[in-house]
Amino acid sequence: MNTAINTRILPLFPLQTVIFPQGLLPLRIFEARYLDMVKDCYRNNSEFGVVAAIEGASRHFPFCEVGTAVRIVDFEVPEIGLINIRCLAAQRFRVHAATQQADGLWLGEVTAIEDDVAISLPDDLVRTADSLRHVINALLKQGFDEDTLPIAKPYQFDDCAWVANRWIELLNLPLEQKQRFLELDSPLVRLELVQDMFIENERRD
C-alpha cells in the first residue's frame, strides 16, 4: 500500500458505535486479532481507528470511510483471553485505502480531518450546555466518580463542538445518524441539530 506524505497506516476496529474527538470509549476485547492489536497499541502508546460498521455505507469497505483515532488510557486483563480497555478519542480521519490481514485485521491508509474550529456557544444554544452540565451533576449524585463518568475532563461547556459531541455520544440515536453527525464539518450546525432534536421531543411531550 503506497502512502502519501499526509497519510498514515492505522489498524482499524469496525464497531457498532461512533466516537467523537475527546470522547471516552470502553471496550471488552476477546477476539485474537484485536487482542494482539490493543496489546501492540498499549505497548507502543500508539493509536487505532474506530470506524462504524454500517452495511452499504461505503462502496469500498465494509465500514464507514470517516472514523476517529483513539488511544488507550486504561488497560486491564481480568482473565486470560480478555482485555478491558478505556480509550480517549483523538482526531477524525478519512480512510482512502484498506487491506485485510490474514487474521482479519484491517489496516487503513488514512488522512487526518482538521480539528473542529473552536466556537463559543451562541446565546440561543446555551441551554444545551446547561442540560449537559445537569446530566453530569446527576450522574455524580448517583454515585459515579469523575474517573468512571462516560465524559472525560476537561469539560468545555462553552465550546460548540465539545457540547454537541458529548450529547451525540450520550443520546440513543441510530448509528447511521451518529455517523452523519461525525461527518459534518461545522460544529455549530452539529449543535443546532442537537437542539432541534430536544425541541422536537418537547413538542411531542
Side-chain angles (χ1 to χ4, degrees):
M1 202 179 330
N2 295 325
T3 57
I5 293 175
N6 295 323
T7 65
R8 61 169 171 155
I9 304 299
L10 203 62
L12 301 177
F13 200 162
L15 292 167
Q16 293 290 312
T17 193
V18 171
I19 188 73
F20 288 76
Q22 297 174 282
L24 282 174
L25 179 66
L27 293 171
R28 290 171 62 85
I29 311 297
F30 52 86
E31 290 186 58
R33 55 185 161 175
Y34 298 122
L35 288 169
D36 291 339
M37 181 193 75
V38 299
K39 287 176 187 176
D40 289 342
C41 288
Y42 186 68
R43 187 182 304 116
N44 299 315
N45 193 29
S46 59
E47 297 175 335
F48 63 91
V50 173
V51 286
I54 300 175
E55 185 176 352
S58 169
R59 293 178 300 168
H60 309 289
F61 322 114
F63 45 77
C64 295
E65 296 178 17
V66 173
T68 310
V70 302
R71 190 178 300 273
I72 299 168
V73 293
D74 289 315
F75 185 97
E76 178 192 17
V77 184
E79 58 186 77
I80 295 174
L82 178 65
I83 298 176
N84 294 330
I85 61 174
R86 193 166 64 145
C87 305
L88 182 64
Q91 196 168 23
R92 293 178 299 157
F93 60 79
R94 185 176 300 277
V95 182
H96 296 281
T99 58
Q100 194 171 25
Q101 298 183 149
D103 63 359
L105 180 69
W106 284 93
L107 296 178
E109 179 183 325
V110 309
T111 57
I113 296 174
E114 289 188 9
D115 291 334
D116 286 323
V117 176
I119 301 175
S120 297
L121 267 74
D123 290 343
D124 62 327
L125 295 177
V126 167
R127 60 178 294 192
T128 60
D130 291 341
S131 298
L132 183 59
R133 186 183 287 107
H134 177 76
V135 167
I136 292 173
N137 289 336
L139 289 173
L140 291 172
K141 288 179 181 178
Q142 289 174 21
F144 286 86
D145 58 49
E146 292 187 336
D147 291 332
T148 57
L149 282 177
I151 298 175
K153 283 190 168 184
Y155 303 149
Q156 299 173 47
F157 293 110
D158 60 346
D159 181 74
C160 280
W162 190 86
V163 174
N165 295 348
R166 301 296 75 80
W167 266 126
I168 297 163
E169 290 165 349
L170 289 171
L171 291 171
N172 183 23
L173 302 174
L175 186 61
E176 293 84 355
Q177 187 174 3
K178 292 195 176 193
Q179 180 66 28
R180 288 195 294 271
F181 277 123
L182 183 70
E183 296 178 11
L184 276 176
D185 290 329
S186 170
L188 179 58
V189 171
R190 211 178 294 147
L191 188 57
E192 287 173 340
L193 291 171
V194 168
Q195 177 156 287
D196 287 346
M197 287 190 294
F198 290 159
I199 293 172
E200 183 63 27
N201 285 335
E202 289 171 357
R203 287 172 179 165
R204 290 199 198 103
D205 295 340

